[in-house]
Amino acid sequence: MWGLVRLLLAWLGGWGCMGRLAAPARAWAGSRGAPEPSLLRTRRSWVWNQFFVIEEYAGPEPVLIGKLHSDVDRGEGRTKYLLSGEGAGTVFVIDEATGNIHVTKSLDREEKAQYVLLAQAVDRASNRPLEPPSEFIIKVQDINDNPPIFPLGPYHATVPEMSNVGTSVIQVTAHDADDPSYGNSAKLVYTVLDGLPFFSVDPQTGVVRTAIPNMDRETQEEFLVVIQAKDMGGHMGGLSGSTTVTVTLSDVNDNPPKFPQSLYQFSVVETAGPGTLVGRLRAQDPDLGDNALMAYSILDGEGSEAFSISTDSQGRDGLLTVRKPLDFETRRAYSFRVEATNTLIDPAYLRRGPFKDVASVRVAVQDAPEPPAFTQAAYHLAVPENKAPGTLVGQVSATDLDSPASPIRYSILPHSDLERCFSIEPEDGTIRTAVPLDREARVWHNLTVLATELGEESWGRGASSLHRPCRSPVISSMVQPPLDSSAQASRVQVAIQTLDENDNAPQLAEPYDTFVCDSAVPGQLIQVIQALDRDEVGNNSHVSFHGPLGPDANFTVRDNRDGSASLLLPSRPAPPRQAPYLVPIELWDWGQPVLSSTATVTVSVCRCRPDGSVASCRPEAQLSPAGLSTGALLAIVTCVGTLLALVVLFVALRRQKQEALMVLEEEDVRENIITYDDEGGGEEDTEAFDISALQNPDGAAPPAPGAPARRDVLPWARAPRQPRPPGPADVAQLLALRLREADEDPSVPPYDSVQVYGYEGRGSSCGSLSSLGSGSEIGGAPGPAEPLDDWGPLFRTLAELYGAKEPPAP
């Protein structure tokens, strides 16, 4: 088709040039002395239009793209046409006699869009120019042979979380090497292949925008969007190219702070000076960076007079310190409220607030008349979780300022360790774990260690001997045993941090019960699955997903490498069935040791409307009869099954009884008499066979006249036989005749009967092959008078089996 179009264009261009060459040819002839009118003006000898050739054409023969012709050429063969310039002689050739221009090879417009050539007509004998040389252009016409490409891809973009629908993310640009001025070969249309419904793209400009509101970074931080550019205006048959855009959600302050516990209890000795650390408080905020910075303040006046709170250098923890000297005899405890507030609040998200939280704090003041002094104002220790009881945590040390040689006894104040998670050596202040710790239950343990002089530590030692499961702190009404008035004691705050170990297998963030349309295409996204790991070392961004494998898997799971996975349809759609599919998914973390768990996602195959909404997810309801519930159907099925079981049991009993009777009958030899009523087709007294069918048709009796009888009763007289056709007997004709007689004979019973034909025809030298009339012994060979070898090639196999002569002995 393209070859015909190019040929037509080439001929039209050539004849258009020929029409313009006539007048210049006459002008050239006038300049050589021919008589011409005086008013004839001189014009250019050659005027050329552009020639066109379609690129990438690879036909078997050179393609004609134009024709040169001069009025001087009278068809006598004296004119020779010459062609020079770009590609002349290699890409373009000219027939010197006719002026036809052909292209000899496939051209690529992207390599060279046009060729400038010079045409000239000369005398064949003298090479004298007959026409002035003229320049013309051959343009390569474009076809759609280049797909769009994204030279700057893949792309990376960032957009704030919770952005409104239509927020611009990035603009992608594809380039098409085809000619944009010709047809739609370079007209591009952009579409989203992967990333719906979160993002959309402008089909003309390639601007990627958000498509849904309230995308939460804490739920999913990164998205992979695949953008396709298709030429031909996006119509069928166009070429396409794709690129990926990795979109990261930047954090905004959309989560208020939250205290993990409502009550914090601390204790401080009355001798602690201003600035002494009492304890740490921390409100949790899932935001990042500056959006998670907090400021702490004391709301009650009595608490703010005795204590102050400040934020640590990281901007996350609140440090509660002593503001003024404390007096145990004046006041033994302080109760107040502490508020945590985000320092940077975005007005656009105030509706998700308030961005603050309040917790209660109780600080007990401990009596310490001339107490021993600890070597540190506060201790910060750490111990891994899940360690066996007796694991060393650290050591505190204190000395008696009045008498350095006096022994000091250490104990843990019971109200600071209500769960009895730790024990301390009374002699040297070594702190050890009393039970295995769980970081996921509690990260910080704020202990108050008491140092007393010898003889005043018995209640503390007893308090540390009771071990119970270590859980989050609770309010206790336990009365602390009073110290003796002569006791010399001091207290220090010991903050013990529980270090994380990988002891929690990852789990699904929530139970997933989703659906898929029965018309879904292979590869369609069904559900994005989020994982949750309570451990710090195996956080959510380092969870691997493994789904069903193999060619028989109904669904596939693709790990998104960001703590989530996509549940997809495989290349083969899931067969519909009544019960939902239970898709097993294995989750692995990256901790040491690696832990895993198996979860199940329930997927129902539903009928959907054209807009994608669910029409029905209970195919079993369509199969049930109208007006019958599931319980009724189960009752019916149960009854049918019971009846079938009874029938099978009855048949089995009958068969067992019959087998027993048959055994008895076989044992009774007196009744083992078998009677044969069928005596064969050759007996005259057998009514089941027509004995005349076995006789020679030449000796058959003539048929008896009479009217045909009814077919449903046994007639008294037999039907007359039809006469055999004259001439030599033929087996095929005989069989057809007997078959027709049997079909038309009214005396033939309606049930099947066996017709035996013993007549074998005439003309065979071997005679009858029946063993009934054979004179030789069974299995013996024919007599020597007529060997089987003389019967011809048709009996060669029989001769080899029965009559072949043995080869002579050597």
Side-chain angles (χ1 to χ4, degrees):
M1 182 64 183
W2 282 109
L4 294 177
V5 173
R6 279 197 294 269
L7 187 59
L8 179 59
L9 292 175
W11 276 108
L12 291 177
W15 285 110
C17 295
M18 289 170 58
R20 295 195 174 191
L21 286 175
R26 289 192 296 270
W28 177 253
S31 63
R32 292 158 48 193
E36 289 291 333
S38 59
L39 296 179
L40 180 64
R41 64 174 182 172
T42 302
R43 297 186 300 173
R44 290 185 58 193
S45 299
W46 297 84
V47 178
W48 296 97
N49 285 334
Q50 294 178 351
F51 289 88
F52 295 92
V53 59
I54 299 178
E55 69 171 338
E56 301 295 344
Y57 176 75
E61 298 178 357
V63 179
L64 177 64
I65 62 172
K67 180 181 180 65
L68 300 181
H69 186 72
S70 173
D71 290 348
V72 180
D73 188 0
R74 305 300 182 183
E76 301 172 352
R78 298 177 55 188
T79 304
K80 182 171 64 173
Y81 297 95
L82 302 178
L83 188 66
S84 62
E86 296 178 339
T90 57
V91 180
F92 306 98
V93 295
I94 187 170
D95 190 334
E96 296 180 352
T98 62
N100 292 334
I101 302 176
H102 294 78
V103 60
T104 61
K105 66 178 183 178
S106 176
L107 302 181
D108 189 2
R109 190 202 66 85
E110 285 70 32
E111 294 182 0
K112 189 172 182 60
Q114 65 180 19
Y115 295 82
V116 180
L117 298 171
L118 191 66
Q120 189 176 15
V122 299
D123 185 80
R124 182 177 296 276
S126 61
N127 287 331
R128 182 172 55 87
L130 302 177
E131 298 281 356
S134 181
E135 185 179 83
F136 66 98
I137 297 175
I138 298 179
K139 283 194 172 183
V140 182
Q141 188 171 337
D142 182 65
I143 63 172
N144 188 20
D145 60 339
N146 290 277
I149 61 173
F150 292 86
L152 301 180
Y155 298 86
H156 295 270
T158 303
V159 64
E161 65 176 334
M162 299 296 173
S163 296
N164 296 326
V165 176
T167 302
S168 177
V169 179
I170 195 174
Q171 182 177 14
V172 297
T173 303
H175 294 285
D176 196 326
D178 294 322
D179 190 358
S181 62
Y182 179 76
N184 294 328
S185 298
K187 185 178 181 181
L188 305 181
V189 174
Y190 299 91
T191 55
V192 177
L193 293 183
D194 193 6
L196 296 174
F198 303 101
F199 299 92
S200 63
V201 64
D202 189 290
Q204 306 300 328
T205 62
V207 176
V208 181
R209 303 179 185 275
T210 58
I212 62 173
N214 301 329
M215 286 192 291
D216 192 7
R217 183 201 64 82
E218 286 74 26
T219 302
Q220 183 174 350
E221 185 175 6
E222 191 175 85
F223 297 83
L224 184 65
V225 184
V226 180
I227 305 296
Q228 181 192 65
K230 190 173 184 180
D231 59 17
M232 299 298 292
H235 295 295
M236 184 178 297
L239 303 178
S240 63
S242 61
T243 187
T244 59
V245 180
T246 302
V247 181
T248 303
L249 297 183
S250 60
D251 185 71
V252 299
N253 192 10
D254 60 336
N255 293 280
K258 184 70 177 179
F259 282 103
Q261 57 194 69
S262 59
L263 175 64
Y264 291 84
Q265 297 190 51
F266 304 99
S267 63
V268 61
V269 294
E270 63 176 352
T271 57
T276 302
L277 179 66
V278 178
R280 287 174 174 262
L281 298 88
R282 184 169 190 173
Q284 298 177 353
D285 191 339
D287 293 324
L288 299 177
D290 295 341
N291 296 322
L293 298 180
M294 282 170 285
Y296 296 85
S297 61
I298 299 176
L299 299 181
D300 302 312
E302 62 176 5
S304 61
E305 293 177 0
F307 303 94
S308 62
I309 191 169
S310 60
T311 307
D312 65 352
S313 59
Q314 303 297 326
R316 303 300 297 268
D317 292 348
L319 306 179
L320 184 64
T321 57
V322 178
R323 185 173 184 179
K324 67 175 184 179
L326 304 176
D327 186 6
F328 175 81
E329 287 73 23
T330 302
R331 187 167 185 174
R332 299 188 177 186
Y334 293 85
S335 296
F336 50 90
R337 294 177 300 158
V338 174
E339 182 183 75
T341 307
N342 280 137
T343 57
L344 298 177
I345 299 177
D346 193 343
Y349 305 100
L350 287 177
R351 64 185 184 277
R352 304 175 67 88
F355 286 80
K356 57 184 178 181
D357 194 22
V358 178
S360 299
V361 177
R362 186 178 185 276
V363 180
V365 180
Q366 303 295 332
D367 186 19
E370 299 179 358
F374 285 92
T375 57
Q376 299 181 19
Y379 291 86
H380 177 228
L381 305 177
V383 61
E385 66 175 337
N386 301 323
K387 293 298 182 181
T391 301
L392 177 64
V393 179
Q395 185 179 19
V396 296
S397 178
T399 57
D400 191 348
L401 299 178
D402 297 333
S403 179
S406 299
I408 303 297
R409 294 295 181 265
Y410 302 92
S411 61
I412 299 175
L413 292 182
H415 75 272
S416 65
D417 188 20
L418 297 176
E419 299 78 29
R420 307 299 189 269
C421 298
F422 302 91
S423 64
I424 189 170
E425 290 293 334
E427 290 78 14
D428 58 3
T430 301
I431 299 175
R432 300 179 182 274
T433 59
V435 294
L437 303 180
D438 187 6
R439 189 202 68 87
E440 286 69 33
R442 188 174 178 184
V443 179
W444 289 94
H445 297 266
N446 296 309
L447 305 182
T448 301
V449 177
L450 180 67
T452 59
E453 294 180 355
L454 183 61
E456 303 295 338
E457 77 287 0
S458 58
W459 66 272
R461 187 180 300 176
S464 63
S465 62
L466 180 60
H467 295 164
R468 293 183 298 175
C470 186
R471 293 290 184 266
S472 300
V474 295
I475 301 176
S476 175
S477 59
M478 183 181 68
V479 178
Q480 178 177 315
L483 293 174
D484 187 84
S485 58
S486 61
Q488 302 291 330
S490 63
R491 296 166 177 80
V492 68
Q493 190 69 25
V494 179
I496 301 177
Q497 182 182 7
T498 306
L499 302 179
D500 186 44
E501 290 186 349
N502 193 31
D503 61 338
N504 290 275
Q507 303 289 337
L508 293 182
E510 59 181 274
Y512 287 95
D513 188 357
T514 184
F515 72 96
V516 60
C517 296
D518 54 3
S519 59
V521 298
Q524 178 172 328
L525 174 65
I526 300 175
Q527 179 72 42
V528 176
I529 304 168
Q530 300 289 336
L532 180 65
D533 194 334
R534 298 176 59 195
D535 292 320
E536 186 176 63
V537 297
N539 51 55
N540 300 336
S541 61
H542 292 81
V543 176
S544 300
F545 296 80
H546 300 279
L549 300 176
D552 296 332
N554 293 322
F555 301 92
T556 58
V557 176
R558 183 184 65 194
D559 194 345
N560 296 331
R561 307 292 183 179
D562 58 354
S564 67
S566 299
L567 183 63
L568 307 171
L569 275 180
S571 60
R572 162 181 70 82
R577 64 176 184 177
Q578 297 182 6
Y581 287 90
L582 300 180
V583 182
I585 299 178
E586 293 186 1
L587 298 91
W588 299 76
D589 60 18
W590 289 17
Q592 292 295 334
V594 177
L595 299 180
S596 64
S597 66
T598 302
T600 302
V601 177
T602 304
V603 181
S604 301
V605 180
C606 304
R607 292 190 301 107
C608 299
R609 301 184 181 92
D611 58 351
S613 60
V614 177
S616 173
C617 279
R618 299 182 62 186
E620 64 275 7
Q622 303 173 4
L623 301 176
S624 302
L628 294 179
S629 63
T630 304
L633 289 176
L634 292 177
I636 294 173
V637 172
T638 303
C639 293
V640 173
T642 304
L643 292 176
L644 291 176
L646 292 175
V647 171
V648 172
L649 180 60
F650 179 77
V651 172
L653 292 175
R654 291 275 306 224
R655 181 176 298 176
Q656 183 177 4
K657 183 177 181 180
Q658 291 179 1
E659 290 178 355
L661 293 176
M662 290 176 62
V663 171
L664 294 176
E665 290 176 358
E666 290 178 358
E667 293 178 356
D668 190 0
V669 298
R670 294 173 299 174
E671 297 182 2
N672 286 346
I673 300 175
I674 301 176
T675 302
Y676 297 93
D677 295 331
D678 189 359
E679 300 180 358
E683 301 295 335
E684 296 180 355
D685 56 350
T686 303
E687 297 181 358
F689 300 94
D690 186 4
I691 194 63
S692 62
L694 302 177
Q695 305 301 327
N696 191 327
D698 297 337
R710 293 175 53 183
R711 297 298 298 270
D712 56 348
V713 297
L714 184 65
W716 293 98
R718 304 191 63 83
R721 277 188 172 275
Q722 297 182 8
R724 184 177 62 83
D730 183 81
V731 175
Q733 293 180 0
L734 178 61
L735 292 179
L737 177 62
R738 293 292 178 259
L739 178 62
R740 185 166 59 253
E741 290 177 357
D743 291 340
E744 297 176 358
D745 189 358
S747 63
V748 175
Y751 46 83
D752 294 337
S753 63
V754 179
Q755 298 291 336
V756 179
Y757 300 97
Y759 181 67
E760 301 175 355
R762 300 186 180 91
S764 175
S765 61
C766 63
S768 175
L769 298 180
S770 173
S771 61
L772 298 178
S774 175
S776 60
E777 296 180 358
I778 297 177
E786 190 177 9
L788 292 177
D789 294 339
D790 299 338
W791 289 0
L794 296 179
F795 297 91
R796 180 178 302 168
T797 303
L798 189 63
E800 293 177 355
L801 293 175
Y802 295 99
K805 297 180 180 180
E806 296 183 358

